[in-house]
Amino acid sequence: MKGLLGIEDLTREEVQSILDRARDFQPREERLRKLDLLRGRMIVNLFFEASTRTRTSFEIAAKRLGADTISITAQASSVSKGESLVDTLNTLAAMRPDAIVMRHAASGAPHFLARYLETPIVNAGDGTHEHPTQALLDARTILDRGTPLEGSRVAIIGDIAHSRVARSNVHLLSKFGAKIVLCGPASLLPVELKQIAPGVELTTDMREAIMGADVIMMLRVQLERQHEASFPSGEYFGFYGLRLEHLELAKPNVIVMHPGPINRGREISSEVADSQRSVILNQVENGVAVRMAVLERVLSDARN
Ligand code: NCD
């Protein structure tokens, strides 16, 4: 595996082996030991878009494996001086890092660069396209709760159209035979997603989506990717905000997920976000373990 660009490119077996390896990296004791599996290796994190969780998580993952990391944000790089993406990446690659982790607002940016560079690229989110490590950490979190992926009903609710998290999850969950329901206002619910997974259900009715669900995955309304003049946020919560009463429609042991950042009172109520059913912080915790598994795999393959 040269780099990791998307879940679409992975086989079910490859996904399973990353998820299995991530278990070895989950914290079992209070104090975490630093490993030296990637000692002497250098990973560059290049983030052209805002990020708290993903960037920190990749950095911690690399450090826990003993690698050296540097993180560059677009504001602090020469991109703000007008350098092209290819020139920036070629410059960084000339310093011979072992991998480049990148996030970019343009869908396909890492795929385009991967064709030019020898250095493996790990996609940390490209536009509205894919966010592979998010789907992996989501799957790890579902499995940790004892819910098998095969046959379980996963309702993904919110701004599906602009969500790379939804796309990567549809790829992953459909490889494992989960029943996927995508739900949101019609304008944010693209029918093309049926092409990724023909069995996927689409609905604008939130109650219908949640009925009998094992997993409810909420998405943020990605206003930064919408170009309409105004978005009716108050009205949105009335129709698509997850509230305690909704949970009664789902399976009794339903889990509530959200990739973060959450907007309390917009897509999810505080009562739900802070409830026993919420696994939002487990997702964040698994982010580190899953990214350790991905970095280890990408760097060990790159050496061969
Ligand atoms: C997501 C992203 O950036 O795609 N966040 C994340 O990586 N945890 C989702 C979002 O921004 O809403």
Side-chain angles (χ1 to χ4, degrees), residues 53-54 103 131 134 164-165 220 222 224-225 259-261:
R53 273 150 285 270
T54 309
R103 167 171 285 193
H131 190 351
Q134 180 69 43
R164 51 197 176 205
V165 175
R220 186 174 65 87
Q222 311 217 342
E224 74 277 22
R225 299 196 204 286

Side-chain angles (χ1 to χ4, degrees), residues 6-43:
I7 299 291
E8 185 175 8
D9 317 322
L10 300 181
T11 62
R12 175 175 169 154
E13 291 66 36
E14 284 171 317
V15 171
Q16 188 65 55
S17 104
I18 296 170
L19 296 176
D20 290 345
R21 184 59 171 150
R23 284 196 81 167
D24 299 334
F25 295 131
Q26 286 175 326
R28 309 220 185 281
E29 36 195 283
E30 267 317 289
R31 262 187 65 79
L32 289 164
R33 257 180 337 111
K34 188 168 161 174
L35 306 170
D36 62 2
L37 294 164
L38 296 185
R39 199 176 41 204
R41 316 299 294 277
M42 167 61 79
I43 296 165

Side-chain angles (χ1 to χ4, degrees), residues 154-230:
V154 182
I156 308 181
I157 302 171
D159 180 359
I160 310 285
H162 301 99
S163 179
R164 51 197 176 205
V165 175
R167 261 170 206 74
S168 286
N169 265 295
V170 169
H171 280 299
L172 189 151
L173 293 166
S174 61
K175 285 184 205 289
F176 283 83
K179 294 192 213 105
I180 308 164
V181 190
L182 302 176
C183 172
S187 58
L188 299 178
L189 197 60
V191 278
E192 309 90 78
L193 279 170
K194 274 201 172 281
Q195 285 162 9
I196 300 183
V200 68
E201 258 177 67
L202 302 184
T203 176
T204 54
D205 180 344
M206 186 167 175
R207 294 178 164 268
E208 188 185 312
I210 294 177
M211 203 74 76
D214 297 277
V215 176
I216 303 173
M217 202 178 274
M218 299 305 294
L219 300 173
R220 186 174 65 87
V221 180
Q222 311 217 342
L223 292 173
E224 74 277 22
R225 299 196 204 286
Q226 296 190 16
H227 306 296
E228 292 81 42
S230 65

Side-chain angles (χ1 to χ4, degrees), residues 4-304:
L4 173 63
L5 299 177
I7 299 291
E8 185 175 8
D9 317 322
L10 300 181
T11 62
R12 175 175 169 154
E13 291 66 36
E14 284 171 317
V15 171
Q16 188 65 55
S17 104
I18 296 170
L19 296 176
D20 290 345
R21 184 59 171 150
R23 284 196 81 167
D24 299 334
F25 295 131
Q26 286 175 326
R28 309 220 185 281
E29 36 195 283
E30 267 317 289
R31 262 187 65 79
L32 289 164
R33 257 180 337 111
K34 188 168 161 174
L35 306 170
D36 62 2
L37 294 164
L38 296 185
R39 199 176 41 204
R41 316 299 294 277
M42 167 61 79
I43 296 165
V44 172
N45 284 321
L46 184 57
F47 278 67
F48 293 96
E49 262 195 352
S51 170
T52 310
R53 273 150 285 270
T54 309
R55 186 162 65 84
T56 321
S57 176
F58 265 111
E59 207 169 315
I60 292 177
K63 291 200 155 93
R64 284 211 182 129
L65 289 168
D68 296 314
T69 57
I70 53 159
S71 289
I72 305 166
T73 54
Q75 294 80 2
S77 74
S78 285
V79 175
S80 61
K81 297 184 185 168
E83 188 172 61
S84 78
L85 186 57
V86 175
D87 287 336
T88 302
L89 268 285
N90 271 330
T91 304
L92 293 171
M95 297 181 219
R96 307 258 165 227
D98 294 284
I100 295 175
V101 176
M102 74 174 280
R103 167 171 285 193
H104 199 279
S107 302
H111 306 68
F112 166 72
L113 291 164
R115 274 189 259 133
Y116 282 90
L117 299 183
E118 282 297 315
T119 317
I121 295 182
V122 178
N123 182 4
D126 64 318
T128 60
H129 180 228
E130 276 232 42
H131 190 351
T133 54
Q134 180 69 43
L136 289 164
L137 73 89
D138 289 341
R140 186 63 271 160
T141 307
I142 297 171
L143 293 169
D144 287 350
R145 283 293 172 122
T147 309
L149 299 178
E150 185 135 23
S152 61
R153 181 172 167 93
V154 182
I156 308 181
I157 302 171
D159 180 359
I160 310 285
H162 301 99
S163 179
R164 51 197 176 205
V165 175
R167 261 170 206 74
S168 286
N169 265 295
V170 169
H171 280 299
L172 189 151
L173 293 166
S174 61
K175 285 184 205 289
F176 283 83
K179 294 192 213 105
I180 308 164
V181 190
L182 302 176
C183 172
S187 58
L188 299 178
L189 197 60
V191 278
E192 309 90 78
L193 279 170
K194 274 201 172 281
Q195 285 162 9
I196 300 183
V200 68
E201 258 177 67
L202 302 184
T203 176
T204 54
D205 180 344
M206 186 167 175
R207 294 178 164 268
E208 188 185 312
I210 294 177
M211 203 74 76
D214 297 277
V215 176
I216 303 173
M217 202 178 274
M218 299 305 294
L219 300 173
R220 186 174 65 87
V221 180
Q222 311 217 342
L223 292 173
E224 74 277 22
R225 299 196 204 286
Q226 296 190 16
H227 306 296
E228 292 81 42
S230 65
F231 184 82
S233 297
E235 226 177 292
Y236 182 85
F237 186 70
F239 283 103
Y240 295 104
L242 187 66
R243 299 180 293 276
L244 281 179
E245 75 228 38
H246 290 122
L247 301 187
E248 285 158 27
L249 303 168
K251 295 255 180 74
N253 59 349
V254 66
I255 56 170
V256 175
M257 310 181 78
H258 193 305
I262 64 171
N263 284 296
R264 291 168 186 262
R266 180 175 281 159
E267 69 269 359
I268 189 166
S269 73
S270 273
E271 291 78 11
V272 175
D274 301 330
S275 75
Q276 292 292 316
R277 307 260 49 100
S278 160
V279 294
I280 297 173
L281 291 177
N282 304 71
Q283 290 173 268
V284 176
E285 185 167 11
N286 275 331
V288 176
V290 156
R291 290 175 177 121
M292 287 172 80
V294 166
L295 291 176
E296 179 192 44
R297 194 182 171 101
V298 165
L299 270 72
S300 63
D301 287 0
R303 187 171 264 172
N304 300 329

